[in-house]
Amino acid sequence: GAGVSQSPSNKVTEKGKDVELRCDPISGHTALYWYRQRLGQGLEFLIYFQGNSAPDKSGLPSDRFSAERTGESVSTLTIQRTQQEDSAVYLCASSLVSDTQYFGPGTRLTVL
Amino acid sequence: TQLLEQSPQFLSIQEGENLTVYCNSSSVFSSLQWYRQEPGEGPVLLVTVVTGGEVKKLKRLTFQFGDARKDSSLHITAAQPGDTGLYLCAGLLYTGRRALTFGSGTRLQVQP
């Protein structure tokens, strides 16, 4: 498809387990962003990748959160030892440099 | 403390009424964007304003960027049920960080 895709769409996990969330950006988009959206709230920035530059990790809430991106393609957000407060929708966006960010549909994470 | 304050948080109105949503900050933004988000989907960009004092119109929606680039408003004329959704303002700070800073959102419901 032409848009940003994310998988899985829903993930239910038990407290303490690790989870991996995937983002496939729009082809050719050099920038990729991860945001977190708690129920009924705005989006919180987590991490930003731009080409081969060092990622901007300033939004990651703890060292349990990490993300990788392979070149200018797929990105994976990993949350280790999940906690109930990690429950949220995790949104990925991609863009050309300094251009409009296009968002995926998100992954709804529920930690029991 | 939220960097971008949106008000009101919730708004329920009848079809045909007018409404205004506000987005305020003590910080200066290089640009400000308005998004609309529907359940289960990522935010979709409505407009970007970049010049202090700028006014943009999109059919029944009017967007304004404050002269000091610290605030913005979204005015909807003759609201329709199809306008129902979560409206988010988001800005780019002058820090050079490319990730957007989001407001907490305004949930609008338009009753037929």
Side-chain angles (χ1 to χ4, degrees), chain A residues 33 35 37 40-43 45 48 56 58 91 98-101 103-105 108, chain B residues 33 35 37 40-43 45 86 88 92 97-100 102-105 107:
Chain A
Y33 310 77
Y35 294 89
Q37 186 175 28
Q41 299 293 313
L43 280 66
F45 164 70
Y48 162 58
D56 177 354
S58 61
L91 289 154
S98 302
D99 204 349
T100 301
Q101 294 182 31
F103 285 85
R108 181 174 297 280
Chain B
Q33 302 178 343
Y35 291 80
Q37 185 178 22
E41 298 180 9
L45 181 67
L86 179 67
L88 296 157
L92 279 176
R97 193 178 83 169
R98 296 308 307 166
L100 291 164
F102 278 83
S104 54
R107 189 164 299 281

PDB file of all heavy atoms in Angstrom, chain A residues 33 35 37 40-43 45 48 56 58 91 98-101 103-105 108, chain B residues 33 35 37 40-43 45 86 88 92 97-100 102-105 107:
ATOM      1  N   TYR A  33       9.288   8.511  12.713  1.00  0.00           N
ATOM      2  CA  TYR A  33       9.011   8.948  14.075  1.00  0.00           C
ATOM      3  C   TYR A  33       8.147   7.900  14.781  1.00  0.00           C
ATOM      4  O   TYR A  33       7.273   7.293  14.170  1.00  0.00           O
ATOM      5  CB  TYR A  33       8.199  10.250  14.069  1.00  0.00           C
ATOM      6  CG  TYR A  33       8.737  11.352  13.184  1.00  0.00           C
ATOM      7  CD1 TYR A  33       8.564  11.313  11.805  1.00  0.00           C
ATOM      8  CD2 TYR A  33       9.380  12.460  13.733  1.00  0.00           C
ATOM      9  CE1 TYR A  33       9.041  12.325  10.993  1.00  0.00           C
ATOM     10  CE2 TYR A  33       9.847  13.485  12.922  1.00  0.00           C
ATOM     11  CZ  TYR A  33       9.678  13.410  11.561  1.00  0.00           C
ATOM     12  OH  TYR A  33      10.134  14.429  10.754  1.00  0.00           O
ATOM     13  N   TYR A  35       5.590   7.787  18.170  1.00  0.00           N
ATOM     14  CA  TYR A  35       4.875   8.543  19.191  1.00  0.00           C
ATOM     15  C   TYR A  35       4.044   7.565  20.018  1.00  0.00           C
ATOM     16  O   TYR A  35       3.675   6.483  19.559  1.00  0.00           O
ATOM     17  CB  TYR A  35       3.904   9.556  18.547  1.00  0.00           C
ATOM     18  CG  TYR A  35       4.550  10.679  17.767  1.00  0.00           C
ATOM     19  CD1 TYR A  35       4.841  10.527  16.409  1.00  0.00           C
ATOM     20  CD2 TYR A  35       4.816  11.905  18.366  1.00  0.00           C
ATOM     21  CE1 TYR A  35       5.407  11.576  15.682  1.00  0.00           C
ATOM     22  CE2 TYR A  35       5.381  12.955  17.643  1.00  0.00           C
ATOM     23  CZ  TYR A  35       5.665  12.776  16.303  1.00  0.00           C
ATOM     24  OH  TYR A  35       6.220  13.811  15.578  1.00  0.00           O
ATOM     25  N   GLN A  37       0.396   7.467  22.331  1.00  0.00           N
ATOM     26  CA  GLN A  37      -0.840   8.192  22.620  1.00  0.00           C
ATOM     27  C   GLN A  37      -1.626   7.440  23.669  1.00  0.00           C
ATOM     28  O   GLN A  37      -2.136   6.348  23.421  1.00  0.00           O
ATOM     29  CB  GLN A  37      -1.689   8.353  21.347  1.00  0.00           C
ATOM     30  CG  GLN A  37      -2.926   9.220  21.545  1.00  0.00           C
ATOM     31  CD  GLN A  37      -3.679   9.462  20.244  1.00  0.00           C
ATOM     32  OE1 GLN A  37      -3.630   8.644  19.321  1.00  0.00           O
ATOM     33  NE2 GLN A  37      -4.371  10.590  20.150  1.00  0.00           N
ATOM     34  N   GLY A  40      -7.384   9.020  24.974  1.00  0.00           N
ATOM     35  CA  GLY A  40      -7.979  10.347  24.971  1.00  0.00           C
ATOM     36  C   GLY A  40      -6.996  11.487  25.027  1.00  0.00           C
ATOM     37  O   GLY A  40      -7.400  12.641  25.229  1.00  0.00           O
ATOM     38  N   GLN A  41      -5.712  11.213  24.830  1.00  0.00           N
ATOM     39  CA  GLN A  41      -4.686  12.249  24.955  1.00  0.00           C
ATOM     40  C   GLN A  41      -4.043  12.575  23.620  1.00  0.00           C
ATOM     41  O   GLN A  41      -4.293  11.911  22.608  1.00  0.00           O
ATOM     42  CB  GLN A  41      -3.597  11.762  25.920  1.00  0.00           C
ATOM     43  CG  GLN A  41      -4.083  11.484  27.321  1.00  0.00           C
ATOM     44  CD  GLN A  41      -4.505  12.755  28.020  1.00  0.00           C
ATOM     45  OE1 GLN A  41      -3.811  13.764  28.007  1.00  0.00           O
ATOM     46  NE2 GLN A  41      -5.684  12.706  28.627  1.00  0.00           N
ATOM     47  N   GLY A  42      -3.203  13.587  23.625  1.00  0.00           N
ATOM     48  CA  GLY A  42      -2.398  13.904  22.451  1.00  0.00           C
ATOM     49  C   GLY A  42      -1.242  12.931  22.341  1.00  0.00           C
ATOM     50  O   GLY A  42      -1.141  11.963  23.088  1.00  0.00           O
ATOM     51  N   LEU A  43      -0.368  13.176  21.400  1.00  0.00           N
ATOM     52  CA  LEU A  43       0.743  12.274  21.129  1.00  0.00           C
ATOM     53  C   LEU A  43       2.005  12.737  21.841  1.00  0.00           C
ATOM     54  O   LEU A  43       2.316  13.926  21.872  1.00  0.00           O
ATOM     55  CB  LEU A  43       1.020  12.218  19.623  1.00  0.00           C
ATOM     56  CG  LEU A  43       0.113  11.339  18.774  1.00  0.00           C
ATOM     57  CD1 LEU A  43      -1.312  11.858  18.730  1.00  0.00           C
ATOM     58  CD2 LEU A  43       0.681  11.207  17.372  1.00  0.00           C
ATOM     59  N   PHE A  45       6.096  12.357  21.797  1.00  0.00           N
ATOM     60  CA  PHE A  45       7.229  11.949  20.974  1.00  0.00           C
ATOM     61  C   PHE A  45       8.093  10.936  21.709  1.00  0.00           C
ATOM     62  O   PHE A  45       8.365  11.081  22.904  1.00  0.00           O
ATOM     63  CB  PHE A  45       8.059  13.178  20.619  1.00  0.00           C
ATOM     64  CG  PHE A  45       9.428  12.877  20.107  1.00  0.00           C
ATOM     65  CD1 PHE A  45       9.597  12.292  18.858  1.00  0.00           C
ATOM     66  CD2 PHE A  45      10.552  13.157  20.866  1.00  0.00           C
ATOM     67  CE1 PHE A  45      10.864  12.025  18.376  1.00  0.00           C
ATOM     68  CE2 PHE A  45      11.820  12.885  20.389  1.00  0.00           C
ATOM     69  CZ  PHE A  45      11.983  12.313  19.145  1.00  0.00           C
ATOM     70  N   TYR A  48      13.106   9.569  16.922  1.00  0.00           N
ATOM     71  CA  TYR A  48      13.114  10.069  15.546  1.00  0.00           C
ATOM     72  C   TYR A  48      14.367   9.571  14.844  1.00  0.00           C
ATOM     73  O   TYR A  48      15.473   9.694  15.384  1.00  0.00           O
ATOM     74  CB  TYR A  48      13.074  11.590  15.599  1.00  0.00           C
ATOM     75  CG  TYR A  48      13.498  12.334  14.356  1.00  0.00           C
ATOM     76  CD1 TYR A  48      12.854  12.124  13.138  1.00  0.00           C
ATOM     77  CD2 TYR A  48      14.518  13.288  14.407  1.00  0.00           C
ATOM     78  CE1 TYR A  48      13.229  12.843  12.018  1.00  0.00           C
ATOM     79  CE2 TYR A  48      14.889  13.995  13.283  1.00  0.00           C
ATOM     80  CZ  TYR A  48      14.245  13.773  12.089  1.00  0.00           C
ATOM     81  OH  TYR A  48      14.608  14.491  10.965  1.00  0.00           O
ATOM     82  N   ASP A  56      17.312  10.619  17.368  1.00  0.00           N
ATOM     83  CA  ASP A  56      16.952  11.481  18.488  1.00  0.00           C
ATOM     84  C   ASP A  56      16.100  10.649  19.441  1.00  0.00           C
ATOM     85  O   ASP A  56      14.936  10.397  19.172  1.00  0.00           O
ATOM     86  CB  ASP A  56      16.176  12.697  17.981  1.00  0.00           C
ATOM     87  CG  ASP A  56      15.692  13.615  19.112  1.00  0.00           C
ATOM     88  OD1 ASP A  56      15.858  13.267  20.304  1.00  0.00           O
ATOM     89  OD2 ASP A  56      15.114  14.660  18.797  1.00  0.00           O
ATOM     90  N   SER A  58      15.435  11.426  22.605  1.00  0.00           N
ATOM     91  CA  SER A  58      15.153  12.249  23.784  1.00  0.00           C
ATOM     92  C   SER A  58      13.767  12.019  24.382  1.00  0.00           C
ATOM     93  O   SER A  58      13.531  12.372  25.531  1.00  0.00           O
ATOM     94  CB  SER A  58      15.322  13.729  23.432  1.00  0.00           C
ATOM     95  OG  SER A  58      14.430  14.105  22.410  1.00  0.00           O
ATOM     96  N   LEU A  91       2.102   5.035  17.724  1.00  0.00           N
ATOM     97  CA  LEU A  91       1.934   5.526  16.347  1.00  0.00           C
ATOM     98  C   LEU A  91       3.284   5.779  15.710  1.00  0.00           C
ATOM     99  O   LEU A  91       4.196   6.308  16.345  1.00  0.00           O
ATOM    100  CB  LEU A  91       1.122   6.816  16.343  1.00  0.00           C
ATOM    101  CG  LEU A  91      -0.362   6.653  16.680  1.00  0.00           C
ATOM    102  CD1 LEU A  91      -0.918   7.931  17.272  1.00  0.00           C
ATOM    103  CD2 LEU A  91      -1.144   6.282  15.444  1.00  0.00           C
ATOM    104  N   SER A  98      11.860  17.618   6.571  1.00  0.00           N
ATOM    105  CA  SER A  98      11.163  18.896   6.727  1.00  0.00           C
ATOM    106  C   SER A  98       9.826  18.944   6.004  1.00  0.00           C
ATOM    107  O   SER A  98       9.416  19.978   5.499  1.00  0.00           O
ATOM    108  CB  SER A  98      12.034  20.058   6.194  1.00  0.00           C
ATOM    109  OG  SER A  98      13.266  20.100   6.862  1.00  0.00           O
ATOM    110  N   ASP A  99       9.154  17.825   5.967  1.00  0.00           N
ATOM    111  CA  ASP A  99       7.885  17.767   5.239  1.00  0.00           C
ATOM    112  C   ASP A  99       6.799  17.179   6.133  1.00  0.00           C
ATOM    113  O   ASP A  99       7.058  16.803   7.269  1.00  0.00           O
ATOM    114  CB  ASP A  99       8.054  16.942   3.973  1.00  0.00           C
ATOM    115  CG  ASP A  99       7.029  17.284   2.905  1.00  0.00           C
ATOM    116  OD1 ASP A  99       6.067  18.019   3.223  1.00  0.00           O
ATOM    117  OD2 ASP A  99       7.168  16.821   1.758  1.00  0.00           O
ATOM    118  N   THR A 100       5.612  17.107   5.594  1.00  0.00           N
ATOM    119  CA  THR A 100       4.462  16.590   6.324  1.00  0.00           C
ATOM    120  C   THR A 100       4.715  15.177   6.836  1.00  0.00           C
ATOM    121  O   THR A 100       5.243  14.326   6.112  1.00  0.00           O
ATOM    122  CB  THR A 100       3.236  16.579   5.407  1.00  0.00           C
ATOM    123  OG1 THR A 100       2.992  17.896   4.955  1.00  0.00           O
ATOM    124  CG2 THR A 100       2.007  16.048   6.136  1.00  0.00           C
ATOM    125  N   GLN A 101       4.325  14.941   8.084  1.00  0.00           N
ATOM    126  CA  GLN A 101       4.416  13.602   8.659  1.00  0.00           C
ATOM    127  C   GLN A 101       3.121  12.851   8.366  1.00  0.00           C
ATOM    128  O   GLN A 101       2.027  13.362   8.617  1.00  0.00           O
ATOM    129  CB  GLN A 101       4.642  13.693  10.171  1.00  0.00           C
ATOM    130  CG  GLN A 101       5.991  14.301  10.530  1.00  0.00           C
ATOM    131  CD  GLN A 101       6.240  14.351  12.016  1.00  0.00           C
ATOM    132  OE1 GLN A 101       5.764  13.511  12.779  1.00  0.00           O
ATOM    133  NE2 GLN A 101       6.993  15.355  12.444  1.00  0.00           N
ATOM    134  N   PHE A 103       0.965   9.508   9.221  1.00  0.00           N
ATOM    135  CA  PHE A 103       0.853   8.575  10.334  1.00  0.00           C
ATOM    136  C   PHE A 103       0.266   7.238   9.897  1.00  0.00           C
ATOM    137  O   PHE A 103      -0.608   7.177   9.030  1.00  0.00           O
ATOM    138  CB  PHE A 103      -0.030   9.164  11.440  1.00  0.00           C
ATOM    139  CG  PHE A 103       0.654  10.237  12.237  1.00  0.00           C
ATOM    140  CD1 PHE A 103       0.672  11.544  11.802  1.00  0.00           C
ATOM    141  CD2 PHE A 103       1.282   9.920  13.429  1.00  0.00           C
ATOM    142  CE1 PHE A 103       1.312  12.541  12.530  1.00  0.00           C
ATOM    143  CE2 PHE A 103       1.923  10.906  14.179  1.00  0.00           C
ATOM    144  CZ  PHE A 103       1.937  12.213  13.729  1.00  0.00           C
ATOM    145  N   GLY A 104       0.745   6.189  10.548  1.00  0.00           N
ATOM    146  CA  GLY A 104       0.127   4.887  10.417  1.00  0.00           C
ATOM    147  C   GLY A 104      -1.074   4.781  11.348  1.00  0.00           C
ATOM    148  O   GLY A 104      -1.354   5.704  12.120  1.00  0.00           O
ATOM    149  N   PRO A 105      -1.785   3.650  11.305  1.00  0.00           N
ATOM    150  CA  PRO A 105      -2.993   3.477  12.121  1.00  0.00           C
ATOM    151  C   PRO A 105      -2.705   3.174  13.580  1.00  0.00           C
ATOM    152  O   PRO A 105      -3.607   3.223  14.411  1.00  0.00           O
ATOM    153  CB  PRO A 105      -3.703   2.297  11.453  1.00  0.00           C
ATOM    154  CG  PRO A 105      -2.591   1.513  10.837  1.00  0.00           C
ATOM    155  CD  PRO A 105      -1.562   2.513  10.405  1.00  0.00           C
ATOM    156  N   ARG A 108      -2.319  -0.794  19.142  1.00  0.00           N
ATOM    157  CA  ARG A 108      -2.894  -0.633  20.490  1.00  0.00           C
ATOM    158  C   ARG A 108      -2.293  -1.690  21.392  1.00  0.00           C
ATOM    159  O   ARG A 108      -2.495  -2.882  21.178  1.00  0.00           O
ATOM    160  CB  ARG A 108      -4.411  -0.776  20.456  1.00  0.00           C
ATOM    161  CG  ARG A 108      -5.067  -0.590  21.829  1.00  0.00           C
ATOM    162  CD  ARG A 108      -6.575  -0.604  21.728  1.00  0.00           C
ATOM    163  NE  ARG A 108      -7.062   0.509  20.924  1.00  0.00           N
ATOM    164  CZ  ARG A 108      -7.199   1.749  21.366  1.00  0.00           C
ATOM    165  NH1 ARG A 108      -6.912   2.047  22.610  1.00  0.00           N
ATOM    166  NH2 ARG A 108      -7.647   2.690  20.563  1.00  0.00           N
TER     167      ARG A 108
ATOM    168  N   GLN B  33       0.521  22.927  13.208  1.00  0.00           N
ATOM    169  CA  GLN B  33      -0.333  22.107  12.364  1.00  0.00           C
ATOM    170  C   GLN B  33      -1.577  21.695  13.138  1.00  0.00           C
ATOM    171  O   GLN B  33      -1.561  21.599  14.362  1.00  0.00           O
ATOM    172  CB  GLN B  33       0.432  20.858  11.918  1.00  0.00           C
ATOM    173  CG  GLN B  33       1.710  21.191  11.167  1.00  0.00           C
ATOM    174  CD  GLN B  33       2.488  19.963  10.777  1.00  0.00           C
ATOM    175  OE1 GLN B  33       2.283  18.880  11.301  1.00  0.00           O
ATOM    176  NE2 GLN B  33       3.397  20.124   9.824  1.00  0.00           N
ATOM    177  N   TYR B  35      -4.453  18.577  13.138  1.00  0.00           N
ATOM    178  CA  TYR B  35      -4.767  17.233  12.685  1.00  0.00           C
ATOM    179  C   TYR B  35      -6.160  16.852  13.157  1.00  0.00           C
ATOM    180  O   TYR B  35      -6.657  17.348  14.171  1.00  0.00           O
ATOM    181  CB  TYR B  35      -3.791  16.203  13.270  1.00  0.00           C
ATOM    182  CG  TYR B  35      -2.391  16.278  12.748  1.00  0.00           C
ATOM    183  CD1 TYR B  35      -1.481  17.213  13.231  1.00  0.00           C
ATOM    184  CD2 TYR B  35      -1.958  15.387  11.764  1.00  0.00           C
ATOM    185  CE1 TYR B  35      -0.192  17.266  12.744  1.00  0.00           C
ATOM    186  CE2 TYR B  35      -0.666  15.428  11.277  1.00  0.00           C
ATOM    187  CZ  TYR B  35       0.210  16.368  11.776  1.00  0.00           C
ATOM    188  OH  TYR B  35       1.489  16.411  11.299  1.00  0.00           O
ATOM    189  N   GLN B  37      -8.219  13.187  14.018  1.00  0.00           N
ATOM    190  CA  GLN B  37      -8.004  11.763  14.215  1.00  0.00           C
ATOM    191  C   GLN B  37      -9.331  11.086  14.499  1.00  0.00           C
ATOM    192  O   GLN B  37     -10.101  11.538  15.354  1.00  0.00           O
ATOM    193  CB  GLN B  37      -7.043  11.528  15.374  1.00  0.00           C
ATOM    194  CG  GLN B  37      -6.667  10.073  15.587  1.00  0.00           C
ATOM    195  CD  GLN B  37      -5.681   9.885  16.719  1.00  0.00           C
ATOM    196  OE1 GLN B  37      -5.573  10.738  17.608  1.00  0.00           O
ATOM    197  NE2 GLN B  37      -4.953   8.781  16.707  1.00  0.00           N
ATOM    198  N   GLY B  40      -9.241   4.448  15.907  1.00  0.00           N
ATOM    199  CA  GLY B  40      -8.545   3.361  15.230  1.00  0.00           C
ATOM    200  C   GLY B  40      -7.654   3.792  14.084  1.00  0.00           C
ATOM    201  O   GLY B  40      -7.113   2.938  13.367  1.00  0.00           O
ATOM    202  N   GLU B  41      -7.504   5.105  13.930  1.00  0.00           N
ATOM    203  CA  GLU B  41      -6.665   5.601  12.841  1.00  0.00           C
ATOM    204  C   GLU B  41      -5.634   6.585  13.370  1.00  0.00           C
ATOM    205  O   GLU B  41      -5.766   7.121  14.470  1.00  0.00           O
ATOM    206  CB  GLU B  41      -7.529   6.287  11.783  1.00  0.00           C
ATOM    207  CG  GLU B  41      -8.532   5.340  11.135  1.00  0.00           C
ATOM    208  CD  GLU B  41      -9.371   6.033  10.084  1.00  0.00           C
ATOM    209  OE1 GLU B  41      -9.069   7.190   9.733  1.00  0.00           O
ATOM    210  OE2 GLU B  41     -10.335   5.405   9.621  1.00  0.00           O
ATOM    211  N   GLY B  42      -4.604   6.825  12.566  1.00  0.00           N
ATOM    212  CA  GLY B  42      -3.636   7.846  12.923  1.00  0.00           C
ATOM    213  C   GLY B  42      -4.152   9.223  12.574  1.00  0.00           C
ATOM    214  O   GLY B  42      -5.116   9.373  11.819  1.00  0.00           O
ATOM    215  N   PRO B  43      -3.529  10.267  13.132  1.00  0.00           N
ATOM    216  CA  PRO B  43      -3.947  11.643  12.810  1.00  0.00           C
ATOM    217  C   PRO B  43      -3.720  11.946  11.327  1.00  0.00           C
ATOM    218  O   PRO B  43      -2.753  11.479  10.725  1.00  0.00           O
ATOM    219  CB  PRO B  43      -3.020  12.501  13.677  1.00  0.00           C
ATOM    220  CG  PRO B  43      -2.491  11.597  14.728  1.00  0.00           C
ATOM    221  CD  PRO B  43      -2.425  10.243  14.109  1.00  0.00           C
ATOM    222  N   LEU B  45      -3.358  15.178   8.651  1.00  0.00           N
ATOM    223  CA  LEU B  45      -3.082  16.602   8.614  1.00  0.00           C
ATOM    224  C   LEU B  45      -4.200  17.377   7.914  1.00  0.00           C
ATOM    225  O   LEU B  45      -4.631  17.009   6.822  1.00  0.00           O
ATOM    226  CB  LEU B  45      -1.759  16.855   7.884  1.00  0.00           C
ATOM    227  CG  LEU B  45      -1.317  18.308   7.773  1.00  0.00           C
ATOM    228  CD1 LEU B  45      -0.971  18.860   9.156  1.00  0.00           C
ATOM    229  CD2 LEU B  45      -0.126  18.447   6.830  1.00  0.00           C
ATOM    230  N   LEU B  86     -11.367  13.706  16.935  1.00  0.00           N
ATOM    231  CA  LEU B  86     -10.404  14.305  17.861  1.00  0.00           C
ATOM    232  C   LEU B  86      -9.541  15.275  17.060  1.00  0.00           C
ATOM    233  O   LEU B  86      -8.904  14.882  16.080  1.00  0.00           O
ATOM    234  CB  LEU B  86      -9.533  13.221  18.499  1.00  0.00           C
ATOM    235  CG  LEU B  86      -8.456  13.696  19.479  1.00  0.00           C
ATOM    236  CD1 LEU B  86      -9.102  14.273  20.734  1.00  0.00           C
ATOM    237  CD2 LEU B  86      -7.528  12.543  19.860  1.00  0.00           C
ATOM    238  N   LEU B  88      -6.352  17.767  16.963  1.00  0.00           N
ATOM    239  CA  LEU B  88      -5.062  17.924  17.630  1.00  0.00           C
ATOM    240  C   LEU B  88      -4.281  19.056  16.991  1.00  0.00           C
ATOM    241  O   LEU B  88      -4.173  19.116  15.765  1.00  0.00           O
ATOM    242  CB  LEU B  88      -4.245  16.638  17.502  1.00  0.00           C
ATOM    243  CG  LEU B  88      -4.799  15.385  18.181  1.00  0.00           C
ATOM    244  CD1 LEU B  88      -4.231  14.138  17.535  1.00  0.00           C
ATOM    245  CD2 LEU B  88      -4.486  15.405  19.661  1.00  0.00           C
ATOM    246  N   LEU B  92       6.096  22.749  15.679  1.00  0.00           N
ATOM    247  CA  LEU B  92       7.537  22.530  15.592  1.00  0.00           C
ATOM    248  C   LEU B  92       8.234  23.659  16.326  1.00  0.00           C
ATOM    249  O   LEU B  92       8.042  24.835  15.982  1.00  0.00           O
ATOM    250  CB  LEU B  92       7.998  22.496  14.140  1.00  0.00           C
ATOM    251  CG  LEU B  92       7.800  21.195  13.370  1.00  0.00           C
ATOM    252  CD1 LEU B  92       8.225  21.373  11.925  1.00  0.00           C
ATOM    253  CD2 LEU B  92       8.553  20.052  14.009  1.00  0.00           C
ATOM    254  N   ARG B  97      14.474  20.413  16.576  1.00  0.00           N
ATOM    255  CA  ARG B  97      13.989  19.035  16.648  1.00  0.00           C
ATOM    256  C   ARG B  97      12.824  18.883  15.673  1.00  0.00           C
ATOM    257  O   ARG B  97      11.905  19.690  15.651  1.00  0.00           O
ATOM    258  CB  ARG B  97      13.524  18.720  18.068  1.00  0.00           C
ATOM    259  CG  ARG B  97      13.296  17.240  18.297  1.00  0.00           C
ATOM    260  CD  ARG B  97      12.891  16.961  19.725  1.00  0.00           C
ATOM    261  NE  ARG B  97      11.473  17.161  19.940  1.00  0.00           N
ATOM    262  CZ  ARG B  97      10.828  16.778  21.034  1.00  0.00           C
ATOM    263  NH1 ARG B  97      11.492  16.209  22.005  1.00  0.00           N
ATOM    264  NH2 ARG B  97       9.530  16.989  21.168  1.00  0.00           N
ATOM    265  N   ARG B  98      12.862  17.816  14.884  1.00  0.00           N
ATOM    266  CA  ARG B  98      11.865  17.636  13.840  1.00  0.00           C
ATOM    267  C   ARG B  98      10.582  16.996  14.340  1.00  0.00           C
ATOM    268  O   ARG B  98       9.579  16.990  13.645  1.00  0.00           O
ATOM    269  CB  ARG B  98      12.458  16.767  12.704  1.00  0.00           C
ATOM    270  CG  ARG B  98      13.643  17.418  11.989  1.00  0.00           C
ATOM    271  CD  ARG B  98      13.318  18.801  11.521  1.00  0.00           C
ATOM    272  NE  ARG B  98      12.103  18.848  10.721  1.00  0.00           N
ATOM    273  CZ  ARG B  98      11.460  19.972  10.415  1.00  0.00           C
ATOM    274  NH1 ARG B  98      11.913  21.127  10.850  1.00  0.00           N
ATOM    275  NH2 ARG B  98      10.376  19.923   9.668  1.00  0.00           N
ATOM    276  N   ALA B  99      10.632  16.424  15.532  1.00  0.00           N
ATOM    277  CA  ALA B  99       9.422  15.787  16.053  1.00  0.00           C
ATOM    278  C   ALA B  99       8.428  16.852  16.504  1.00  0.00           C
ATOM    279  O   ALA B  99       8.805  17.908  17.006  1.00  0.00           O
ATOM    280  CB  ALA B  99       9.773  14.882  17.218  1.00  0.00           C
ATOM    281  N   LEU B 100       7.165  16.575  16.285  1.00  0.00           N
ATOM    282  CA  LEU B 100       6.104  17.499  16.639  1.00  0.00           C
ATOM    283  C   LEU B 100       5.801  17.443  18.131  1.00  0.00           C
ATOM    284  O   LEU B 100       5.874  16.394  18.753  1.00  0.00           O
ATOM    285  CB  LEU B 100       4.836  17.145  15.861  1.00  0.00           C
ATOM    286  CG  LEU B 100       4.894  17.394  14.353  1.00  0.00           C
ATOM    287  CD1 LEU B 100       3.763  16.656  13.651  1.00  0.00           C
ATOM    288  CD2 LEU B 100       4.810  18.886  14.071  1.00  0.00           C
ATOM    289  N   PHE B 102       2.692  17.884  20.514  1.00  0.00           N
ATOM    290  CA  PHE B 102       1.243  17.841  20.363  1.00  0.00           C
ATOM    291  C   PHE B 102       0.512  18.418  21.564  1.00  0.00           C
ATOM    292  O   PHE B 102       0.977  18.309  22.709  1.00  0.00           O
ATOM    293  CB  PHE B 102       0.770  16.391  20.180  1.00  0.00           C
ATOM    294  CG  PHE B 102       0.891  15.881  18.776  1.00  0.00           C
ATOM    295  CD1 PHE B 102       2.091  15.374  18.306  1.00  0.00           C
ATOM    296  CD2 PHE B 102      -0.203  15.919  17.914  1.00  0.00           C
ATOM    297  CE1 PHE B 102       2.199  14.905  17.002  1.00  0.00           C
ATOM    298  CE2 PHE B 102      -0.102  15.457  16.618  1.00  0.00           C
ATOM    299  CZ  PHE B 102       1.101  14.950  16.166  1.00  0.00           C
ATOM    300  N   GLY B 103      -0.644  19.007  21.288  1.00  0.00           N
ATOM    301  CA  GLY B 103      -1.579  19.348  22.339  1.00  0.00           C
ATOM    302  C   GLY B 103      -2.333  18.100  22.773  1.00  0.00           C
ATOM    303  O   GLY B 103      -2.205  17.038  22.160  1.00  0.00           O
ATOM    304  N   SER B 104      -3.132  18.248  23.818  1.00  0.00           N
ATOM    305  CA  SER B 104      -3.835  17.092  24.386  1.00  0.00           C
ATOM    306  C   SER B 104      -5.106  16.745  23.626  1.00  0.00           C
ATOM    307  O   SER B 104      -5.693  15.696  23.867  1.00  0.00           O
ATOM    308  CB  SER B 104      -4.171  17.340  25.853  1.00  0.00           C
ATOM    309  OG  SER B 104      -4.890  18.549  25.967  1.00  0.00           O
ATOM    310  N   GLY B 105      -5.520  17.599  22.712  1.00  0.00           N
ATOM    311  CA  GLY B 105      -6.642  17.256  21.851  1.00  0.00           C
ATOM    312  C   GLY B 105      -7.974  17.810  22.315  1.00  0.00           C
ATOM    313  O   GLY B 105      -8.190  18.060  23.497  1.00  0.00           O
ATOM    314  N   ARG B 107     -11.948  16.719  21.765  1.00  0.00           N
ATOM    315  CA  ARG B 107     -12.860  15.712  21.210  1.00  0.00           C
ATOM    316  C   ARG B 107     -14.178  16.390  20.893  1.00  0.00           C
ATOM    317  O   ARG B 107     -14.868  16.884  21.783  1.00  0.00           O
ATOM    318  CB  ARG B 107     -13.059  14.571  22.202  1.00  0.00           C
ATOM    319  CG  ARG B 107     -13.826  13.405  21.603  1.00  0.00           C
ATOM    320  CD  ARG B 107     -13.685  12.143  22.433  1.00  0.00           C
ATOM    321  NE  ARG B 107     -12.324  11.669  22.549  1.00  0.00           N
ATOM    322  CZ  ARG B 107     -11.674  10.990  21.622  1.00  0.00           C
ATOM    323  NH1 ARG B 107     -12.277  10.688  20.486  1.00  0.00           N
ATOM    324  NH2 ARG B 107     -10.443  10.576  21.825  1.00  0.00           N
TER     325      ARG B 107
END
